[in-house]
Amino acid sequence: MGTGNRDLPAGFTAAELAHRFALQLKGDGAAVVAGVATLANAGPDRLSFLSNPRYRAQLADSQAAAVVMRAQDSEGYAGTALLAADPYVAFAKIAALFDPPPPLRPGVHASAVVDPSARVDPQAQVDAFCSIGARAQIGAGAVIGPGCVIGDDCEVGEGCVLVARVTLVRRVRLGRRVLVHPGAVLGADGFGLAMDAGHWIKVPQQGGVVIGDDCEIGANTTIDRGAIEDTVLGEDVRLDNQIQIGHNVRIGAHTAMAGCAAVAGSATIGSYCLVGGAAGILGHLEVCDRVMITAMSLVTHSIREPGEYSSGTPLMANREWRRNAARFRQLDTLARRVNALGKTPRDEED
Amino acid sequence: MGTGNRDLPAGFTAAELAHRFALQLKGDGAAVVAGVATLANAGPDRLSFLSNPRYRAQLADSQAAAVVMRAQDSEGYAGTALLAADPYVAFAKIAALFDPPPPLRPGVHASAVVDPSARVDPQAQVDAFCSIGARAQIGAGAVIGPGCVIGDDCEVGEGCVLVARVTLVRRVRLGRRVLVHPGAVLGADGFGLAMDAGHWIKVPQQGGVVIGDDCEIGANTTIDRGAIEDTVLGEDVRLDNQIQIGHNVRIGAHTAMAGCAAVAGSATIGSYCLVGGAAGILGHLEVCDRVMITAMSLVTHSIREPGEYSSGTPLMANREWRRNAARFRQLDTLARRVNALGKTPRDEED
Amino acid sequence: MGTGNRDLPAGFTAAELAHRFALQLKGDGAAVVAGVATLANAGPDRLSFLSNPRYRAQLADSQAAAVVMRAQDSEGYAGTALLAADPYVAFAKIAALFDPPPPLRPGVHASAVVDPSARVDPQAQVDAFCSIGARAQIGAGAVIGPGCVIGDDCEVGEGCVLVARVTLVRRVRLGRRVLVHPGAVLGADGFGLAMDAGHWIKVPQQGGVVIGDDCEIGANTTIDRGAIEDTVLGEDVRLDNQIQIGHNVRIGAHTAMAGCAAVAGSATIGSYCLVGGAAGILGHLEVCDRVMITAMSLVTHSIREPGEYSSGTPLMANREWRRNAARFRQLDTLARRVNALGKTPRDEED
């Protein structure tokens, strides 16, 4: 239930929250909030929120001390409300009050192994069992959690957090305030091969990885180093877990990708794109700004117009699916037969 | 060949196995079994099994000391048979005799770093290079293999095995006898973002992860902590490798998922479901008990009836596929043309 | 830009390169090359290459000291050219000159934990925080990077490189010169379950993993140990990141798979196959030599003829896709209606 946090501050009144986040208060300004909860499960000292209309019905019965919501949703609500144009954003900001980062413990753990040529800022925290390679740099306020490997020539900017067991292989440069979750591997060799007389030979991967400020990289996500130039993520790019980014990919600022998405080598993706879970983007393509790819779709050609794109087929009961899928094999023949019937399409009907 | 195990017990006679597992013996009860093998490769001191009818033809030539099989498959078989209603289950139980877990070595390795507030049972084993965080609890008989990170406020129940390099980030509670394979990350932040004036802001992830008794979590699988409430797996849930479970997902008891499956945030999955490899389930959906999703299918709506569900198209030679796939672009137009031809469907034919 | 390598040799003249790699020189043999770059970004001391015709237009303006290309592409080119039948292969070989492996540092790091029964060759390098299990063997020239776990009964052949945080769980045998990237897990239990009276029971996984010479295993890729016999990769198999290989899979020599591909248990894949990103291959299938599977296709039946195979549908604007995808549900009915119209296909037209 997320209520076990022993580092919780004592609480805030609804009036304090309204003032701090510039929200309009409706109801009891003295109501005390000591944490957050869902509408359905909030106790009387919890703040909740209503953003998605599907949860509207839960509002009346919620025991929450206060609820963040839109003004129009508060009509007829008898409890304490904090009114926001975007309740989810306001809730996120308030919730952060109850989830303070653990206090920084500057210094290098006795067990860590740091190359003499590395520069670790005295205000950085390096935890147990970390390896820091030659010429690596760790900025002030950065946290290198337990078991991380920071390879040669890597740079970790101010305020970055590598939660645990993160690997930066080589020539990886993180901007400021980058958050990297456990198991992520940045800067492994790109997949560059050439077939020579029946055997593969490895194409040397000499580029690096450059990650902009305020990016977030999910657990077990992999971002390969470039072959010659760098693999580049702009600022505020958000990658979920288990995402694969090939060598020399470029991703524009503020783009977000859901879990298990994959981008093949040398693709260029614009800013403010949204890539759904397990979607794929083939190599050497260009995707312009503000493109949304739905889950598990495969991008097989460049996209030059903003908008939403999809591939795949609907889910069906397997027996029904089998019948339809078998017909997919005959689709070209079917279309030819229809053409042979000599009718022109009458798109005006239906 | 799996025959190099130096910890093997000396062997069992077929009669001993029949008695121990309540199977009917047919043939030579004195036949000695010292390990297991496939029908095709079994030597004369091996036990094999016949479950899948496709391997029936291999039975006659097998040199196995004894074979577990159904009664009806044993007709005409001259060798020693152990008869079972479900030969695969019986074989699994017998094979476990030859694969004893390594002996527990209670105690904390000298290199491990354990927070003073953590409680490690004296009968737990904590291997080299483990980090154990504040207020963490490790139960009796649990094995924390080399390189694991157990974060603050995590609990590992009795008899759990974390093979190696497992990360429990924060507020992760494992029940009893949970088996977690290397590289798995439980309790990383869920992917919660809100767009605020052109920048993403992070929605704090304050929930935990609760894993029921007897679950198995595959290598490099990730299970995110909940945003507010917990992400929950019921008892006996079995997850293969590289699976991604989003925040606040709930999975019912005895459900199994094959490799690379992915479940987006807040989806609820029933009990006794089977999810095929690389299948996807979108967020906020509900899937009832006893649903089977075939490999690489995408669940885009809630499922309320037990049964098997699929999406996708059949595999074809690329040249043929290109012709048919191009027609998929015109499918709506094609259907309108057919409609325009004025015929009603005659489903009685075919 | 990949130009920060402090270990670079001083440089080579174009004539030296032509001689060393048996290429034909055209232009200034005294031109000095100190590294590699793309055509577009090469400075005057860089070698570049032209292989893909789409970059032909960049040739005229490139400032590269020399360019590797085909003879026919060099007509009219005023700069220095190194002519090769396969420019990409020649470039890969030359580029390796500028990317020498870091020098071997033989010996076992003081922090590593090595079982007394393990045999580590004096010419092997074992880095910080490695665990080496009972009876494990590490060959001459092998590099075990920081944080690796080498389990009991594993063998690492001569010249292997485990970059960092690699796990070999048990009974994993690597041939010579195998390169394994961070986060890879080889030899975890296969996903073997049997349902017994409403609960899963685990089918013991007693086989191992055998990896041939010169294989490459990508970051966070997982290869499970066999159930009874071994999981086997032939020589020169190349696996990209986040690939999942189930138990008892066999992959023939020189086969390459792109990121996120997945192969289910007991599938057998031939030699010289190419498996595209996120493609899937179901269990117990056989795929013959020289098969190419396009990205995100699902192989649902055995393939006995070399060639290229695909599944899936094209990417479309979502609105258009929705219309067509809805018709996929009716495809069988549609086909029946067309059949009912009584026309035979006229494949000669179109």
Side-chain angles (χ1 to χ4, degrees), chain A residues 133-172:
Chain A
R135 298 172 302 279
Q137 300 181 35
I138 313 293
V143 175
I144 312 296
C148 290
V149 176
I150 311 295
D152 296 352
D153 300 301
C154 291
E155 298 177 26
V156 176
E158 294 177 15
C160 286
V161 175
L162 281 58
V163 175
R165 282 184 47 240
V166 167
T167 305
L168 309 184
V169 182
R170 201 162 171 208
R171 285 186 203 144
V172 177

Side-chain angles (χ1 to χ4, degrees), chain C residues 120-175:
Chain C
V120 178
D121 189 281
Q123 288 304 308
Q125 170 183 332
V126 176
D127 286 347
F129 313 126
C130 286
S131 288
I132 314 275
R135 298 171 302 279
Q137 300 181 36
I138 313 293
V143 176
I144 312 296
C148 290
V149 176
I150 310 296
D152 295 353
D153 301 301
C154 291
E155 298 177 26
V156 177
E158 295 178 13
C160 286
V161 175
L162 281 56
V163 175
R165 281 184 47 239
V166 167
T167 304
L168 309 185
V169 182
R170 199 159 173 211
R171 284 187 203 144
V172 178
R173 296 197 298 270
L174 307 183

Side-chain angles (χ1 to χ4, degrees), chain A residues 167 198 229 308 310 327 337, chain C residues 38 41 165 272 318 332 343:
Chain A
T167 305
E229 301 182 350
E308 188 176 3
S310 302
R327 298 295 189 178
R337 291 178 68 174
Chain C
T38 58
N41 291 322
R165 281 184 47 239
Y272 289 109
N318 179 265
D332 183 51
K343 279 284 216 179

